[in-house]
Amino acid sequence: MKISGKLILYLLLAFALGFFGFKFIFQLFKSDDTEIETRITNKTLAEHQGLELIFDGKTFAGWRGYGLEKVPEEWKVEDGALVFYPNPDHRSGLNNLITEKEYTSFILSLEWKISEGGNSGIFWGIKEDTAYAVPYLTAPELQILDNENHPDAQNKTHRAGAVFDISPPKEDTAKKAGEWNATVLEINHHTNQGKIWLNGILINEFPLSGPEWDALIANTKFKNWQGFGKFKTGRIGLQDHGNKVSFKNIRIKAL
């Protein structure tokens, strides 16, 4: 392992803290410098780069239903979180929540919690238009899944942290159903690169357009969807997939 300045600094700190300090540093940095950088980067993105809250923890200000002027009744604000309670008898699959604002290049940081056996997702690049009945017709999706109990986890591109059906996570860092997961999504059209961190680890990197993106799409169900992934500017959305899901500490920064 290459010894970096950061590692030396943390080793000195561990020495000052004694045995437990060394134990902590070893657990944190035991793999390689890449893991060191991904952990530090994730913390930096969430805490130190000026991300602004787009959910105030109390109201639906800044949010509404896709294709609607109001918030679907299935969404509630509880204990500082946006919580979706599925109702199969009312617009099932159509109660997606979206931002009022549109974004192009950004860093999005949030926490999510999925119910047992649950499935949901985070959309970006949503084109809200009567030509598209639901967000997923245009918007790529950061997959949310109970990897332990949902059968979709057998497909790597359907696991938590995947770009759904397109780009699989490098490893499974998702927590169990009912536990909060910290996610950072970076969409940077200036560099044509997307990145996903899940619980402090960089697990997914992917192109956003061009031949490499087209090659990925060619192997998916989206290959003949004319509007899919075509809009660099669009809304961010939280998916109604028929399972209870919660989101909190939603922050964003335009790039």
Side-chain angles (χ1 to χ4, degrees):
M1 180 180 75
K2 180 182 177 181
I3 303 299
S4 67
K6 290 188 180 72
L7 182 56
I8 293 172
L9 177 61
Y10 279 99
L11 287 173
L12 289 173
L13 177 61
F15 183 83
L17 293 174
F19 171 77
F20 291 104
F22 273 108
K23 183 176 180 181
F24 172 76
I25 295 299
F26 177 77
Q27 290 296 323
L28 188 61
F29 300 137
K30 62 183 177 181
S31 60
D32 54 30
D33 274 350
T34 300
E35 183 172 351
I36 294 172
E37 292 301 322
T38 54
R39 288 178 183 271
I40 291 173
T41 300
N42 190 63
K43 182 178 181 181
T44 299
L45 290 174
E47 297 179 5
H48 301 298
Q49 286 197 355
L51 278 73
E52 298 181 359
L53 283 169
I54 56 171
F55 166 56
D56 63 15
K58 301 176 182 179
T59 71
F60 289 108
W63 298 82
R64 59 176 174 80
Y66 180 85
L68 302 174
E69 295 182 358
K70 62 179 182 179
V71 173
E73 61 187 32
E74 287 76 13
W75 288 92
K76 311 293 182 185
V77 177
E78 297 179 350
D79 299 323
L82 291 170
V83 186
F84 176 73
Y85 290 94
N87 179 0
D89 298 323
H90 180 248
R91 289 169 41 88
S92 181
L94 299 177
N95 298 302
N96 301 283
L97 200 64
I98 63 171
T99 58
E100 292 183 347
K101 290 184 178 181
E102 293 185 329
Y103 301 90
T104 305
S105 294
F106 59 86
I107 297 171
L108 175 71
S109 172
L110 56 75
E111 295 176 64
W112 58 263
K113 178 173 65 175
I114 191 67
S115 54
E116 185 173 351
N119 185 339
S120 186
I122 303 163
F123 297 116
W124 76 89
I126 297 173
K127 175 65 173 178
E128 190 180 25
D129 191 286
T130 55
Y132 307 111
V134 288
Y136 65 74
L137 293 176
T138 59
E141 174 193 344
L142 191 168
Q143 172 76 326
I144 290 174
L145 197 77
D146 174 8
N147 285 348
E148 290 189 357
N149 299 295
H150 198 291
D152 261 15
Q154 296 178 23
N155 184 333
K156 291 183 179 180
T157 63
H158 292 184
R159 294 177 183 172
V163 180
F164 179 77
D165 213 38
I166 298 171
S167 178
K170 297 175 184 178
E171 58 181 295
D172 180 5
T173 60
K175 296 181 180 180
K176 295 181 179 180
E179 297 184 16
W180 287 105
N181 291 266
T183 292
V184 174
L185 169 66
E186 180 178 329
I187 299 298
N188 192 334
H189 288 287
H190 305 298
T191 60
N192 193 33
Q193 189 172 40
K195 297 179 182 180
I196 296 169
W197 289 261
L198 182 57
N199 295 318
I201 302 297
L202 177 62
I203 61 167
N204 209 335
E205 297 180 85
F206 48 94
L208 300 173
S209 61
E212 292 182 353
W213 171 259
D214 293 340
L216 290 174
I217 298 301
N219 296 316
T220 73
K221 68 178 183 179
F222 307 118
K223 61 182 179 181
N224 295 319
W225 295 21
Q226 299 202 359
F228 182 81
K230 300 297 185 183
F231 302 97
K232 292 184 178 181
T233 298
R235 305 182 196 279
I236 292 168
L238 309 178
Q239 187 181 34
D240 164 9
H241 203 284
N243 302 117
K244 183 181 178 182
V245 63
S246 305
F247 301 89
K248 68 177 182 178
N249 296 327
I250 308 174
R251 296 177 170 88
I252 200 166
K253 178 183 179 180
L255 296 175

